[in-house]
């Protein structure tokens, strides 16, 4: 019972903390005169991924690489096969291939790149962490330069900056939101990781499996809320962009920063199933997005079926 309370409390604190960080950061950015495009490209993407970031760093520091890595892999798989599936079953969304094709390709490429680095080196060391962070910096700068000239994709990123409105107006209030949000994130991550490790030991499951499932789904709650809100408001491109952008940030930013702070050995039970699901889900999303101008309930069912199969195979291992 105590472990269940820890996990639930951790998830709730992560959700509240993530939202607080985003709203405060966006509020500060607007007071400083940053463009809506830059806010949408950076702060919203970083903000919705902040629970994964703090949780992975906390897990790495306490010696649980399975949870640290499984959290990111599971979040990326779950973002597409579970969260987007749920959103599509509630409301199908329209997509513009020109607006999302580029980021979808990048999400697939970084997924393949991560798997290759992990399989070749057997760990994510500080050098690989620097490489991932450099990739994120190049991506953000390149997209900002391209989209600053306008276009459909630029409108998508600008709209995403309003996903978490209203942001507090006063600078001190925005700073308070960020500070309180970070505090809640750290406390929530500590509760969640502690509860997850205890659950793994009691249930006889590996920490990697817990990271890929319970922890990953929990830290992805901000993506679910933001994506569903955008879809219900008719901001279809924003809903799609939230998922793709989060997956790019998770790999390049979260794993990059986590590996830089504390190198991550690749757990032995992270295998072809996990890498295949990571790459396969990104590839499937790209195919569905580029072969039509609408993601339907049928495609949502296909995603959900894929997630059920993935979890079944994961637990049966």
């Amino acid at each position: 019972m105590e472990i269940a309370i820890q996990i639930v409390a951790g998830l709730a604190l992560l959700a509240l903390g993530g939202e607080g960080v985003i709203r405060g950061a966006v509020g500060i950015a607007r007071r400083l005169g940053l463009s809506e495009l830059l806010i949408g490209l950076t702060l919203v993407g970083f903000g919705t991924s902040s629970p994964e970031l703090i949780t992975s760093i906390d897990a790495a520091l306490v010696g649980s690489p399975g949870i640290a890595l499984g959290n990111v892999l599971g979040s990326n798989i779950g973002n597409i096969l579970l969260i987007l599936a749920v959103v599509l079953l509630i409301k199908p969304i329209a997509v513009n291939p020109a607006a999302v094709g580029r980021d979808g390709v990048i999400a697939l490429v970084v997924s393949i790149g991560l798997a290759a680095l992990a399989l070749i080196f057997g760990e994510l060391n500080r050098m690989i962490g620097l490489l991932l962070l450099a990739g994120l910096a190049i991506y953000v700068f390149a997209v900002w330069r391209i989209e600053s000239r306008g276009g459909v994709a630029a409108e998508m990123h600008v709209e995403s900056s309003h996903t978490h409105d209203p942001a507090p107006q006063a600078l001190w209030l925005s700073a308070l939101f960020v500070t309180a949000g970070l505090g809640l994130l750290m406390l929530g991550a500590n509760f969640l990781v502690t509860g997850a490790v205890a659950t793994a030991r009691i249930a006889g499951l590996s920490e990697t499996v817990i990271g890929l499932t319970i922890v990953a789904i929990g830290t992805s709650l901000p993506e679910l809320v933001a994506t569903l809100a955008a879809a219900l408001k008719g901001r279809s491109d924003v809903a799609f962009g939230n998922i793709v952008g989060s997956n790019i940030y998770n790999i390049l930013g979260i794993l990059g920063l986590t590996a830089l702070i504390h190198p991550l050995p690749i757990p032995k039970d992270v295998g072809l199933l996990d890498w295949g699901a990571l790459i396969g889900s990104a590839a499937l999303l790209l195919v569905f997005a580029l072969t039509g101008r609408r993601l339907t309930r049928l495609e949502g069912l296909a995603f959900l079926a894929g997630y059920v199969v993935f979890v079944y195979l994961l637990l049966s291992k």
Side-chain angles (χ1 to χ4, degrees):
M1 187 66 177
E2 182 182 342
I3 294 173
I5 293 173
Q6 273 187 322
I7 292 176
V8 172
L11 294 176
L13 291 172
L14 284 172
L16 288 172
E19 186 64 19
V21 167
I22 301 172
R23 290 184 181 236
V26 170
I28 292 172
R30 288 194 175 132
R31 293 286 292 179
L32 296 178
L34 297 184
S35 71
E36 302 285 331
L37 172 60
L38 193 58
I39 292 171
L41 267 172
T42 57
L43 296 179
V44 174
F46 277 121
T48 56
S49 294
S50 56
E52 286 98 332
L53 173 62
I54 303 299
T55 301
S56 285
I57 291 175
D58 188 85
L61 291 176
V62 299
S64 296
I67 291 178
L69 181 62
N71 173 37
V72 170
L73 299 186
S75 290
N76 279 26
I77 295 166
N79 279 348
I80 297 172
L81 298 184
L82 180 60
I83 290 177
L84 186 57
V86 170
V87 171
L88 292 177
L89 290 175
I90 295 173
K91 182 173 183 177
I93 61 176
V95 295
N96 186 311
V100 300
R102 178 199 61 216
D103 288 349
V105 170
I106 291 174
L108 177 58
V109 169
V110 298
S111 297
I112 295 172
L114 175 66
L117 288 169
L119 292 173
I120 291 170
F121 294 98
E123 70 168 348
L124 299 180
N125 54 39
R126 288 191 172 91
M127 188 59 67
I128 292 176
L130 277 174
L131 179 66
L132 295 176
L133 288 174
L136 179 60
I138 292 170
Y139 162 73
V140 171
F141 178 74
V143 173
W144 177 74
R145 284 294 299 270
I146 294 169
E147 302 307 340
S148 59
R149 301 168 192 160
V152 179
E155 293 173 7
M156 176 185 75
H157 290 299
V158 167
E159 285 188 12
S160 75
S161 71
H162 294 282
T163 305
H164 297 265
D165 284 340
Q169 296 301 308
L171 194 59
W172 70 268
L173 189 56
S174 295
L176 183 61
F177 265 66
V178 173
T179 305
L182 286 172
L184 291 176
L185 282 173
M186 288 187 283
L187 186 60
N190 183 265
F191 279 155
L192 181 59
V193 170
T194 302
V197 171
T199 301
R201 288 173 181 164
I202 292 173
L205 298 171
S206 73
E207 291 182 1
T208 301
V209 170
I210 297 296
L212 282 162
T213 52
I214 297 174
V215 176
I217 293 171
T219 56
S220 293
L221 289 176
E223 281 88 353
L224 173 60
V225 173
T227 303
L228 186 56
L232 292 175
K233 291 176 183 177
R235 295 174 175 175
S236 300
D237 282 348
V238 175
F240 188 95
N242 279 340
I243 294 294
V244 176
S246 175
N247 282 16
I248 293 171
Y249 279 108
N250 283 351
I251 291 175
L252 297 180
I254 292 174
L255 284 181
L257 189 54
T258 302
L260 189 62
I261 293 173
H262 193 288
L264 284 174
I266 306 299
K268 289 183 172 58
D269 57 346
V270 174
L272 293 179
L273 170 65
D274 311 305
W275 298 119
L278 176 71
I279 296 169
S281 58
L284 189 61
L285 177 59
L286 187 59
V287 169
F288 283 168
L290 294 180
T291 55
R293 292 184 172 272
R294 190 173 183 81
L295 289 173
T296 65
R297 286 191 174 92
L298 185 60
E299 288 165 331
L301 279 173
F303 285 141
L304 191 58
Y307 190 75
V308 171
V309 171
F310 167 67
V311 172
Y312 172 77
L313 293 175
L314 187 66
L315 295 177
S316 63
K317 270 199 314 185

